[in-house]
């Protein structure tokens, strides 16, 4: 819609925001009307209309099989649009149109904002299935008529009340119509069932909805008065009512077709099962985070025991082997610590990489600088844990074998995300400017425990590739190519 409005019309950004607010709400009008809606806006030169949005009803058959968005229509071809735009009123005159042997009643509703008509909503009703309307359908149509008058007057949608239509109740979920005093005039079967879930034993019609809702909800002292007011539909609000029987989500919409509130619509939905699942997920997430926290603590305990044992070793080789084990355990503990702070099993690996680099840099024999460039991004836990170990081993290997005690140098870790979302890749390069590889060295056959761990983790668990070659100029370059899922 943004592109069409800016390309073809002279509407301002604030006008466009109003149209977005309208489009976020007009599923309600479409469902109540049993009709398709198409929003037409006059072009910059005033000679044509461009359709910038379309909505089909969930409560009835569509009148348009094709997508109408982007169509241009010359002024004069559709007289109802012209009359609504020029006169600023709802236009219902005219005989039904025939589209593919289907009779369609067309009405035009001007879209007003601050006294100006921005465009026109064409309301198209498929008459093929018209029958004697029930009480529910009559209530729907009357409510749709009231909303259409509010749109034409510029009082609907409500400014500052952006609605998430995916989360809000819809017409078919349950509907209650109130009079100006908040007394129920009509309750749909789904709406009545929702209140029965809260514990209501009688019918709703004739009862004051606010007082009834407050009586069913758990006592909250002074808050009850606010609940009575909100449930009576005096202002546009969304709220939930919870009691032992369930949870009901409600949305109140005041009806002011002529500027004075004549009543309200209350849309409601039984969200008991949805909230129960959400609580289960929250509990499960908390349990998983607690498990990661305990695993991290246990790993740190193991690392402390290994460190204590290393201090008691007489053999320098044995002491160094235990210290390497401490760093390996520490790298895994870092991942679990990060996971214990997240809501899902995905981690921002850049922070983990920086901590691993800092941990391994402590064993630097000389004045060697370790740094990271690029982004690892967000990784799944099953990738992050082995990758942290791999990074630890590669860095340890570079610091232990590439530099002498008095030598200065640099070890750089570079990360690049690439590939398609379906086949994402993470390319990691660890490059030093040390002494380089020994003559005839083959990393695929080397018996070094660290390199064996790297090969096993990269090729086995990560399904990637591992290479170790002389760096351009001087030193050694380790290249890891690992498949990863797309960032979210």
């Amino acid at each position: 819609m943004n592109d069409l409005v800016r390309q073809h019309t002279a509407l301002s950004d604030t006008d466009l925001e109003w149209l977005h607010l309208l489009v976020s709400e007009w599923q309600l009008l479409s469902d109540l009307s049993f009709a398709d809606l198409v929003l037409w806006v006059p072009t910059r030169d005033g000679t044509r209309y461009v359709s910038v949005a379309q909505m089909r009803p969930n409560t009835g058959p569509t009148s348009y099989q094709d997508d109408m968005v982007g169509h241009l229509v010359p002024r004069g071809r559709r007289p109802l649009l012209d009359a609504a735009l020029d006169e600023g009123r709802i236009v219902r005159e005219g005989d039904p149109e025939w589209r593919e042997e289907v009779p369609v009643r067309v009405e035009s509703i001007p879209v007003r904002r601050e006294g100006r008509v921005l465009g026109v909503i064409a309301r198209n009703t498929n008459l093929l299935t018209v029958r004697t309307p029930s009480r529910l359908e009559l209530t729907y149509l009357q409510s749709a008529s009231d909303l259409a008058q509010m749109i034409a007057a510029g009082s609907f949608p409500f400014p500052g009340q952006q609605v998430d239509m995916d989360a809000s109740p819809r017409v078919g979920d349950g509907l209650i119509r109130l009079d100006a005093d908040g007394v129920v005039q009509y309750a749909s079967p789904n709406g009545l069932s929702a209140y029965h879930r809260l514990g209501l034993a009688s019918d709703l019609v004739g009862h004051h909805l606010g007082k009834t809702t407050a009586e069913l909800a758990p006592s909250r002292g002074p808050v009850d008065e606010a609940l009575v007011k909100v449930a009576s539909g005096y202002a546009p609000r969304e709220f939930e009512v919870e009691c032992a029987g369930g949870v009901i989500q409600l949305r109140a919409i005041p009806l002011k077709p002529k500027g004075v509130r004549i009543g309200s619509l209350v849309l409601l939905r039984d969200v008991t099962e949805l909230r129960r699942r959400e609580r289960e997920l929250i509990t499960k997430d908390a349990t998983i985070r607690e498990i990661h926290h305990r695993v991290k603590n246990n790993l740190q305990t193991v690392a402390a025991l290994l460190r204590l044992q290393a201090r008691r070793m007489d053999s320098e080789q044995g002491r160094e082997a235990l210290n390497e084990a401490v760093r390996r355990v520490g790298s895994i503990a870092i991942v679990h610590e990060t996971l214990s702070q997240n809501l899902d099993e995905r981690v921002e690996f850049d922070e983990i990489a920086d901590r691993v680099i800092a941990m391994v840099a402590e064993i630097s024999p000389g004045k060697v600088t370790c740094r990271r460039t690029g982004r690892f991004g967000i990784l799944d836990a099953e990738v992050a844990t082995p990758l942290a170990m791999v990074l630890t081993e590669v860095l340890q290997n570079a610091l232990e074998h590439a530099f002498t005690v008095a030598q200065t140098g640099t070890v750089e870790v570079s990360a690049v995300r690439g590939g398609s979302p379906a086949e994402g890749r993470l390319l990691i390069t660890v490059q030093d400017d040390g002494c380089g590889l020994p003559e005839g060295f083959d990393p695929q056959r080397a018996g070094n425990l660290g390199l064996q761990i790297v090969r096993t983790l990269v090729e086995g668990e990560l399904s990637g590739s591992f290479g170790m070659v002389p760096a351009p100029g001087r030193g050694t370059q380790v290249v890891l190519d690992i498949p990863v899922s797309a960032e979210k």
Side-chain angles (χ1 to χ4, degrees):
M1 186 166 69
N2 288 353
D3 294 340
L4 289 170
V5 167
R6 288 170 179 153
Q7 178 182 354
H8 295 286
T9 78
L11 297 182
S12 65
D13 288 342
T14 52
D15 292 335
L16 180 56
E17 284 301 315
W18 183 261
L19 295 185
H20 274 293
L21 189 60
L22 172 66
V23 168
S24 74
E25 292 271 28
W26 70 343
Q27 179 74 63
L28 174 63
L29 177 62
S30 178
D31 290 345
L32 290 172
S33 304
F34 308 97
D36 290 75
L37 306 178
V38 179
L39 177 56
W40 296 93
V41 180
T43 57
R44 191 174 287 105
D45 58 8
T47 62
R48 295 181 295 176
Y49 297 96
V50 57
S51 59
V52 298
Q54 178 179 3
M55 178 58 65
R56 292 184 174 91
N58 292 318
T59 52
T62 183
S63 302
Y64 285 112
Q65 298 298 328
D66 299 327
D67 186 6
M68 295 297 296
V69 176
H71 283 216
L72 289 164
V73 174
R75 185 177 171 89
R77 180 175 295 179
R78 301 195 176 183
L80 297 186
L81 294 181
D82 298 339
L85 183 69
D86 297 338
E87 300 172 24
R89 65 180 180 87
I90 299 174
V91 182
R92 296 189 175 93
E93 299 88 352
D95 297 327
E97 297 181 4
W98 287 83
R99 300 174 188 161
E100 299 180 359
E101 300 183 356
V102 175
V104 177
R105 182 176 65 242
V106 182
E107 304 167 84
S108 295
I109 305 167
V111 177
R112 192 184 304 274
R113 174 182 175 269
E114 296 181 351
R116 295 166 44 242
V117 177
L118 306 182
V120 179
I121 294 175
R123 181 163 56 176
N124 303 268
T125 306
N126 187 326
L127 299 178
L128 197 60
T129 58
V130 169
R131 52 186 171 80
T132 303
S134 64
R135 179 76 186 279
L136 180 144
E137 290 167 331
L138 288 173
T139 303
Y140 277 20
L141 292 171
Q142 180 58 53
S143 302
S145 176
D146 294 336
L147 283 177
Q149 292 181 60
M150 291 170 65
I151 292 173
S155 58
F156 187 83
F158 304 109
Q161 292 286 326
Q162 187 77 29
V163 175
D164 181 2
M165 291 306 298
D166 292 332
S168 294
R170 299 199 176 196
V171 170
D173 296 326
L175 178 142
I176 296 174
R177 173 92 184 208
L178 309 178
D179 65 12
D181 297 322
V183 176
V184 178
Q185 293 180 310
Y186 174 79
S188 72
N190 285 345
L192 186 59
S193 295
Y195 265 80
H196 285 167
R197 185 72 178 265
L198 290 180
L200 180 70
S202 62
D203 196 1
L204 267 174
V205 175
H207 290 75
H208 191 281
L209 186 67
K211 294 177 181 178
T212 302
T213 305
E215 291 170 0
L216 294 172
S219 178
R220 296 173 183 167
V223 180
D224 285 347
E225 291 299 322
L227 182 58
V228 170
K229 191 86 171 174
V230 170
S232 299
Y234 288 99
R237 293 286 187 274
E238 282 198 33
F239 59 101
E240 288 188 2
V241 177
E242 181 174 1
C243 64
V247 184
I248 304 300
Q249 181 185 20
L250 300 98
R251 181 188 176 202
I253 304 168
L255 297 176
K256 303 176 181 179
K258 296 182 180 179
V260 178
R261 193 175 71 86
I262 63 168
S264 305
L265 274 184
V266 177
L267 305 181
L268 63 159
R269 178 172 58 176
D270 185 347
V271 293
T272 305
E273 289 302 312
L274 180 61
R275 296 295 177 260
R276 182 184 64 81
R277 292 194 198 102
E278 287 177 352
R279 283 193 286 268
E280 288 179 352
L281 287 174
I282 291 172
T283 303
K284 187 179 295 184
D285 287 341
T287 302
I288 292 172
R289 289 199 299 274
E290 178 62 21
I291 290 171
H292 284 303
H293 182 71
R294 293 188 182 187
V295 170
K296 182 265 294 184
N297 288 343
N298 290 338
L299 289 172
Q300 288 181 336
T301 300
V302 172
L305 292 173
L306 291 173
R307 197 177 293 113
L308 183 62
Q309 184 66 44
R311 294 195 187 111
R312 294 173 177 268
M313 293 286 291
D314 295 328
S315 167
E316 180 65 29
Q317 187 176 5
R319 189 181 304 114
E320 182 55 37
L322 287 175
N323 285 331
E324 286 185 3
V326 168
R327 288 188 287 273
R328 287 165 185 151
V329 172
S331 65
I332 302 173
I334 290 172
V335 176
H336 282 282
E337 182 179 5
T338 305
L339 287 169
S340 70
Q341 301 168 2
N342 288 356
L343 294 176
D344 56 19
E345 291 292 290
R346 293 168 66 82
V347 295
E348 177 63 62
F349 196 80
D350 293 325
E351 178 186 349
I352 294 174
D354 291 340
R355 293 180 63 181
V356 167
I357 291 170
M359 178 182 69
V360 178
E362 295 175 358
I363 69 169
S364 173
K367 297 180 180 180
V368 178
T369 302
C370 297
R371 62 170 180 256
R372 172 181 63 87
T373 61
R375 281 191 68 247
F376 287 86
I378 298 174
L379 299 177
D380 294 330
E382 57 265 27
V383 174
T385 302
L387 183 57
M389 286 194 65
V390 168
L391 193 58
T392 301
E393 296 299 333
V394 172
L395 287 170
Q396 279 187 172
N397 191 69
L399 292 174
E400 288 179 0
H401 301 294
F403 304 97
T404 61
V405 174
Q407 192 175 0
T408 62
T410 302
V411 178
E412 182 175 302
V413 179
S414 171
V416 178
R417 293 288 284 262
S420 65
E423 296 182 357
R425 311 293 300 184
L426 174 59
L427 184 65
I428 305 167
T429 304
V430 181
Q431 183 170 320
D432 65 68
D433 55 2
C435 61
L437 295 172
E439 187 70 28
F441 179 81
D442 184 358
Q444 299 298 327
R445 297 178 180 273
N448 179 290
L449 176 60
L451 290 180
Q452 288 181 4
I453 291 174
V454 171
R455 285 198 300 268
T456 301
L457 292 177
V458 172
E459 297 172 0
E461 288 198 36
L462 298 174
S463 302
S465 62
F466 159 69
M468 194 175 199
V469 296
R474 181 185 176 189
T476 305
Q477 186 181 77
V478 176
V479 180
L480 309 171
D481 188 358
I482 299 168
V484 293
S485 59
E487 289 192 69
K488 294 180 183 177

